[in-house]
Amino acid sequence: MTVQHIHGGDIFGEAANLGLDCARILDYSANINPLGPPPAVFDAIQKNMEMIVNYPDPHCRDLSKSLCNYLHVKGKNVIFGNGVSELIYLLVRVLNCKRAVIPVPTFTEYGLAVVTAGGTIKEVPLAAEKNFSLEVDEIVSTISPADLVFICNPNNPTGNLYSRDEILYLLKECESKGAYLVVDEAFIDFVPDVKGYSVIPHVGTSSRLIMFYSLTKFFGMPGLRLGAMLGPSALIDEMTAAKDPWNVNLFAQVGGVAALKDVNHMQKTRELVTVEREYLYNNLAGLPGFKPYPGEANFLLVDIKNTGLTCAKLTQLMKQRGVLVRDCSSFDGLGNKHIRLAVKTREENRRLTAEFATVLEGAKI
Ligand SMILES: Cc1ncc(COP(=O)(O)O)c(C=O)c1O
């Protein structure tokens, strides 16, 4: 079986293709905090340079204390990984998942993890005409006999934020049908009222609730690779036994501790993303043939059907101008007429809009 992991953010590959230095690429294809990591992350890494002569802490003790304090959860309910991606694959293997339910379009690694482990997936389409809203009863009707139901909240790539009531309703149904509900909150910290949406208060209270928490997006450090899974302690124990003992490197551990302290950076990030998302949305809505969907995270999905261009063509034209945008044709359920754009700083968002205008003008839209 050939499995393709298609994602945005491949600036090294694209820079090599274009013959450009990475620093000259404007990357709108990966959804990372436009402010970058809190400055204390760089200090922590520098201060710990000489520690690389040691193995990293296999139990991530300091990091675990920091995350438990920050999220108000217990250490026995947390496991860390080399990004959430590692933990998705580990979870599927540990549970020996035979069948998973996945509303699409969504993050593609859930399906790939299940299929590469020999399981099957049942995709439940989210309809564009209904703004990709979650049809909970349709999902419920497909649960038996699933091992896992994956929900991404807010959803990548649509940006939809699902209510806690919808998620808790699904959890109840999963509990009664013997399935696990996996809620991936990789982008939830960008939501100003995060406490009104996150399932964290329910972690540990249900033997069927699993939650993913990534430090990649909101803390602006995808290159460090750091993510966590929260869930019932018995499952965390099984995953701990099955994982590589030193799966989280030393810099990720000290960087994570530093990042979780900087409340000011978190606040600034939420404010910037909220303002810039609206600015970008309005700019995109003003471009000929562009229809952005409203989103609640740090990215926007755009229907470009009325430009007459495919997303592959538009992506290519932008690439020639040194701008990477996410061609969404690899997301099941989207076809070849959608792109996804990160929300970045005002200056970058202005340049993106101008580049699109030039490309669309050249394509005579
Ligand atoms: C919804 C979602 N979950 C998880 C991940 C993986 O995050 P990490 O960098 O922590 O592996 C991504 C990355 O794009 C994502 O979009």
Side-chain angles (χ1 to χ4, degrees):
M1 179 183 14
T2 312
V3 168
Q4 274 191 300
H5 302 272
I6 301 174
H7 295 287
D10 180 17
I11 58 161
F12 300 104
E14 299 298 355
N17 289 340
L18 294 165
L20 284 178
D21 190 88
C22 287
R24 299 212 31 224
I25 289 188
L26 182 57
D27 183 13
Y28 268 83
S29 68
N31 310 315
I32 305 301
N33 185 340
L35 295 176
V41 172
F42 296 114
D43 295 342
I45 289 172
Q46 256 150 15
K47 277 196 195 116
N48 282 278
M49 286 289 190
E50 288 173 12
M51 293 298 283
I52 64 166
V53 296
N54 303 299
Y55 279 94
D57 178 356
H59 303 292
C60 299
R61 292 173 179 87
D62 288 347
L63 178 61
S64 184
K65 269 189 220 140
S66 295
L67 191 77
C68 289
N69 260 337
Y70 175 65
L71 297 179
H72 305 292
V73 292
K74 297 197 171 77
K76 65 178 185 176
N77 298 118
V78 180
I79 181 173
F80 290 94
N82 186 41
V84 158
S85 309
E86 182 199 19
L87 297 169
I88 294 171
Y89 281 80
L90 184 62
L91 173 72
V92 164
R93 280 203 313 275
V94 165
L95 290 179
N96 190 20
C97 173
K98 296 279 179 247
R99 183 175 176 271
V101 171
I102 308 177
V104 294
T106 195
F107 186 50
T108 50
E109 294 295 335
Y110 312 139
L112 289 175
V114 174
V115 170
T116 52
T120 59
I121 54 175
K122 166 69 186 162
E123 293 187 335
V124 182
L126 302 167
E129 312 80 63
K130 294 185 182 165
N131 275 338
F132 301 106
S133 60
L134 200 61
E135 300 295 317
V136 273
D137 286 322
E138 216 176 312
I139 296 171
V140 166
S141 71
T142 64
I143 295 177
S144 291
D147 304 304
L148 291 172
V149 177
F150 283 96
I151 299 288
C152 183
N153 197 28
N155 188 31
N156 174 12
T158 63
N160 287 57
L161 180 65
Y162 309 130
S163 74
R164 193 146 60 192
D165 284 352
E166 287 173 296
I167 305 273
L168 293 182
Y169 173 67
L170 274 179
L171 177 61
K172 243 178 70 201
E173 293 294 327
C174 284
E175 283 167 345
S176 73
K177 295 177 167 68
Y180 284 93
L181 179 68
V182 182
V183 186
D184 182 349
E185 298 190 355
F187 292 100
I188 209 160
D189 278 329
F190 290 102
V191 174
D193 175 23
V194 54
K195 289 209 171 95
Y197 293 92
S198 174
V199 293
I200 286 176
H202 300 271
V203 163
T205 66
S206 165
S207 62
R208 291 285 159 183
L209 178 63
I210 293 166
M211 182 266 200
F212 284 123
Y213 185 79
S214 174
L215 283 94
T216 285
K217 326 285 182 181
F218 186 66
F219 295 101
M221 43 193 214
L224 273 187
R225 311 302 304 128
L226 183 58
M229 191 189 102
L230 279 58
S233 57
L235 177 59
I236 298 292
D237 290 347
E238 274 188 76
M239 302 235 331
T240 303
K243 80 176 176 73
D244 162 357
W246 300 285
N247 60 332
V248 181
N249 74 78
L250 187 125
F251 294 143
Q253 294 193 31
V254 297
V257 170
L260 291 166
K261 284 185 187 147
D262 196 340
V263 180
N264 192 29
H265 190 80
M266 300 178 200
Q267 188 54 27
K268 261 173 44 191
T269 300
R270 285 191 194 104
E271 284 166 12
L272 178 101
V273 167
T274 304
V275 170
E276 287 309 314
R277 187 176 55 229
E278 191 181 348
Y279 174 80
L280 184 62
Y281 178 94
N282 289 333
N283 280 5
L284 296 170
L287 289 167
F290 270 39
K291 181 189 166 215
Y293 286 92
E296 306 281 345
N298 62 329
F299 53 84
L300 291 168
L301 181 70
V302 188
D303 180 335
I304 59 154
K305 182 168 60 250
N306 291 335
T307 64
L309 299 170
T310 62
C311 47
K313 182 69 187 168
L314 181 58
T315 303
Q316 185 56 30
L317 291 170
M318 290 297 278
K319 210 179 278 180
Q320 285 162 5
R321 306 184 67 82
V323 183
L324 304 186
V325 306
R326 178 69 157 92
D327 168 345
C328 287
S329 53
S330 58
F331 286 98
D332 283 353
L334 277 187
N336 67 352
K337 298 287 181 184
H338 293 82
I339 57 169
R340 192 197 62 204
L341 303 164
V343 173
K344 294 171 87 78
T345 62
R346 178 61 53 100
E347 196 188 333
E348 290 166 319
N349 293 335
R350 228 182 246 133
R351 177 173 161 211
L352 176 78
T353 312
E355 297 285 6
F356 271 133
T358 306
V359 161
L360 294 173
E361 173 65 25
K364 297 214 173 51
I365 302 309

